[in-house]
Amino acid sequence: MTQVALPTEGLRIVGQVAMGFPPAPNTFRSVAYANTTPPAPTATWLRVGPDSRVTVYAGKVEYGQGIRTGLAIEVADELRAPLDAVEVILSDTDLVPWDMGTFGSQSTARVGLQLRRAAATAREALLELAANRFDLPVSELVAADGAVSPRHDPSRRLTYGDLVAGQELSREIAEDASLTPADEFTVMGRPQTRVDAVERVTGRTKYSQDILPPGVVHAKIIRPPSFRAKLIDADLSIAERLPGVVAVIRDEDLLAVLAETDEQAAFAARLVQARWEEQQGQPSRFDMPRLLVETAREHMTTQDVGSLEQGFRQADQILEASYYVPYISNAPMEPKAAVAVWEGDHLTLWAGTQRPFGVRSEMAQRFGIPENQVRVITPDVGGGFGSKSYYPVALEAARLARLAGRPVRVAWTREEETVWSTFRPAALIQVKSGFKDDGTIVAWEFTAYHAGERPMIGRRGSESPYDIPNTKVVVAAGDSPLRAGSYRSLGGAVNHFAREAHMDEIAAAVGADPGELRLRHLSHPRFRRVLETAMERFGWQSSKPPSGRGVGLGIGLDVGSYVALCLEVDVQGNEVRPGRVVSALDCGLVVNPEGAKNQTEGAIVMGMGAALYEAIDFENGRLLNSGFARYRVPRINNAPEIEVHLVGDPATPSTGAGEPGIVPMAGALAAAVFDRTGQRIRELPIQRHLS
């Protein structure tokens, strides 16, 4: 089987695929995503067909963030085409440009910009084609609504399809293509309904576990009883005789039942008699703060200004506090799933991963075949938040399909998704500050210990944005009994929690308003703009905490975007109820305001869960709360009233909107709880420690 070929009739726009690759060394991107390289330096990004339809190709994944809509909006505006004439094809390794993965809010900033250039190149090419047909200079022509017409005679009109029909045209993306200025946008910057909204709300959207090729069998993996347990032996005889069971397979560490239905496979799996050797004495959640400090390594200074010794000598007061954040689950709505089909030595794999090209490379390496013999298709994904970068279910499905000689579908349960996925790492952060009696901060010492083998996760968002003359920030990695991985903002939300909570403690210590104290130490205009906007729209009233009103605020910076929020809470017993959240976001040029607001709202609710409810409990290699019955996440009736104000300058290039909203949330909630109750909570989740 060969790769699928793209249609050739029409106008194709080709360009470089490796924007931002290879990533800088010793970054999280280089460690987590750089196992794949482009097979060719260029690929087709955009095609205008003889039917005037515009097809956009991108390696990004749609997992609910609305990137399909955002990319369609950018192309429609630059190409002067109707939005409904643009189709976006994503994440099929046979069809789309190579891509390192969907992470770090890079889609609009990098691929969106590349597609704007592609669309602008196509527009100029279509104008040149029309100039020949009308025998007029390009300056006398206008492109609008999917057609070109003479500026002084709009009745004469050639559609884009008319201009390219019967031809095979190709242009390279012009790096200096004339992009549309913000004041001429007709689609960008205006609220748009998502192009895939109807499919989503009517249930027609297909996810990986909905893919059922002819002859597919359903697999149930027999998992170890605890982490690091080794399979000794297994009696398969009873399971093999059950109705519907096709095979029971043991391949090294992989033990699975294949059956005609999910239910038959799950029932038979319970009757497999497996014997395991378990590792005793593994740490529990209560051991983590000590373990993090005792195993600290790879210390990195991320900020070093002035002299701490001199700063603390100048201080009237010194405040020291430790903040602890437990492991939490990414808890995506859709558990992982994969479907594998072998045809000879060609593998087709449907997998809901954030990095289809990375999975393609892994499969090719694992089975010893060329990468062009592997096609990975990522259907729409039901949330990931970083957890679907690590995607072992793809290899499970491919191995089983190879052994069974039939298509195999593996769909994880909620328990499997929670136990065998990755977790946001636990962290302990120690903050020591020195300040004058009037609140002027003169020294800031911030030492963070994040669990996991990838210390760059914990470094994100550790730098202080405040104007403090003597500052030192050090981040270290510590041992992790659980598999640590990506999470929305990586370690950004964790570091922001400690910093913003400590700022609130300084305000309380000197009797200052927390908002005014922050503004006094902020000179960066974008930070000041988001904080002042949030305070104004919230109706922030100056006060000294605890005021009894239950209000808090925080600021943040993530993926190049600036954010601030103010919120209010009510507290009944140990139940914290956020009532209203007002956020201001500066992410530069906004392509789709509705999309940016939706992303921020989602991040705020996710941050609320991490701050108030969520913590993974574990002991001796076993998870104790692997289902939603014992692991609480926010529900719709917990969601507060949220206002999002977009305050970015459209002349500033777009940066991410998916992650910034989460970073100030925990610190602001901790401050609001203190303001309401007088209790200072330095360990998450807040409700577990509220008395």
Side-chain angles (χ1 to χ4, degrees), residues 298-305 427-431 444-450 455-466 468 471-476 489-500 502-503 527 555-559 663:
E298 298 190 59
H299 295 74
M300 172 172 275
T301 301
T302 60
Q303 194 173 16
D304 193 359
V305 178
L428 177 73
I429 300 172
Q430 298 166 337
V431 185
W444 180 267
E445 185 176 17
F446 184 100
T447 308
Y449 306 90
H450 290 255
M456 57 287 290
I457 289 178
R459 294 170 191 158
R460 185 151 142 187
S462 59
E463 301 93 332
S464 168
Y466 297 109
I468 302 173
T471 297
K472 188 166 188 177
V473 177
V474 177
V475 182
S489 84
L490 296 181
V494 175
N495 291 321
H496 278 66
F497 161 61
R499 186 183 66 238
E500 294 303 298
H502 196 85
M503 288 295 291
F527 265 125
I555 66 170
L557 170 64
D558 198 54
V559 293
V663 295

Side-chain angles (χ1 to χ4, degrees), residues 7 29 69-70 121 134 139 169 221 257 260 270 287 306 320 368 382 398 412 465 595 605 616 655 662:
R29 285 199 300 155
T69 300
T121 302
F134 286 119
S139 59
L169 305 167
I221 312 288
V257 175
E260 299 295 345
R270 291 200 292 271
D287 300 318
E320 295 183 71
W412 283 12
V605 174
I616 286 291
T655 46
I662 195 174

Side-chain angles (χ1 to χ4, degrees), residues 33 63 102 330 354 384-390 422 485-488:
Y33 297 96
Y63 48 68
T102 305
N330 295 61
Q354 292 175 229
F385 318 111
S387 68
K388 289 175 178 171
S389 299
Y390 171 69
T422 57
S486 301
Y487 190 88
R488 204 171 196 161

Side-chain angles (χ1 to χ4, degrees), residues 67-68 138 144 148 162 260 265 289 296 323 339 369 441 488 586 678:
I67 193 59
R68 180 180 286 112
V138 168
V148 180
D162 294 334
E260 299 295 345
Y323 304 86
V339 178
I369 56 178
I441 307 172
R488 204 171 196 161
D586 176 358

Side-chain angles (χ1 to χ4, degrees), residues 108-127:
T108 300
R110 293 180 185 273
V111 171
L113 180 59
Q114 180 76 335
L115 283 169
R116 285 187 66 190
R117 292 188 181 121
T121 302
R123 185 186 70 229
E124 292 171 3
L126 291 163
L127 284 167

Side-chain angles (χ1 to χ4, degrees), residues 288 291-298 327 425-426 448-455 476-481 484:
M288 285 309 300
L291 184 69
L292 287 168
V293 175
E294 290 180 353
T295 62
R297 59 189 179 277
E298 298 190 59
Y327 289 99
Y449 306 90
H450 290 255
E453 297 177 351
R454 295 173 173 173
D479 280 359
S480 180

Side-chain angles (χ1 to χ4, degrees), residues 460-681:
R460 185 151 142 187
S462 59
E463 301 93 332
S464 168
Y466 297 109
D467 304 327
I468 302 173
N470 307 291
T471 297
K472 188 166 188 177
V473 177
V474 177
V475 182
D479 280 359
S480 180
L482 305 186
R483 187 187 298 275
S486 301
Y487 190 88
R488 204 171 196 161
S489 84
L490 296 181
V494 175
N495 291 321
H496 278 66
F497 161 61
R499 186 183 66 238
E500 294 303 298
H502 196 85
M503 288 295 291
D504 200 70
E505 293 200 46
I506 295 174
V510 300
D513 174 76
E516 293 170 0
L517 182 78
R518 284 171 170 81
L519 287 170
R520 203 190 309 171
H521 294 86
L522 281 175
S523 59
H524 196 292
R526 296 178 75 179
F527 265 125
R528 291 189 66 87
R529 182 163 59 199
V530 292
L531 180 55
E532 289 170 344
T533 300
M535 291 173 67
E536 177 189 347
R537 299 299 179 93
F538 182 79
W540 185 267
Q541 299 175 17
S542 178
S543 63
K544 302 172 184 176
S547 70
R549 292 182 297 133
V551 296
L553 52 73
I555 66 170
L557 170 64
D558 198 54
V559 293
S561 297
Y562 298 77
V563 65
L565 59 80
C566 302
L567 55 80
E568 61 186 8
V569 301
D570 186 24
V571 180
Q572 299 292 331
N574 65 352
E575 183 73 18
V576 179
R577 296 173 181 166
R580 180 169 171 249
V581 180
V582 176
S583 174
L585 174 69
D586 176 358
C587 59
L589 170 66
V590 177
V591 172
N592 180 7
E594 199 62 30
K597 289 181 179 179
N598 291 345
Q599 285 278 62
T600 305
E601 290 167 355
I604 286 171
V605 174
M606 192 172 184
M608 188 184 89
L612 295 180
Y613 315 135
E614 297 180 48
I616 286 291
D617 296 331
F618 60 98
E619 186 176 48
N620 202 24
R622 284 176 161 81
L623 243 59
L624 307 179
N625 53 346
S626 58
F628 286 152
R630 300 186 67 181
Y631 185 89
R632 181 178 175 182
V633 295
R635 298 180 179 178
I636 190 66
N637 61 336
N638 301 127
E641 175 189 344
I642 301 174
E643 298 173 29
V644 180
H645 300 278
L646 304 174
V647 299
D649 179 355
T652 302
S654 298
T655 46
E659 299 175 272
I662 195 174
V663 295
M665 196 59 189
L669 277 169
V673 168
F674 175 76
D675 190 62
R676 183 75 174 85
T677 67
Q679 291 187 63
R680 183 67 71 186
I681 308 295

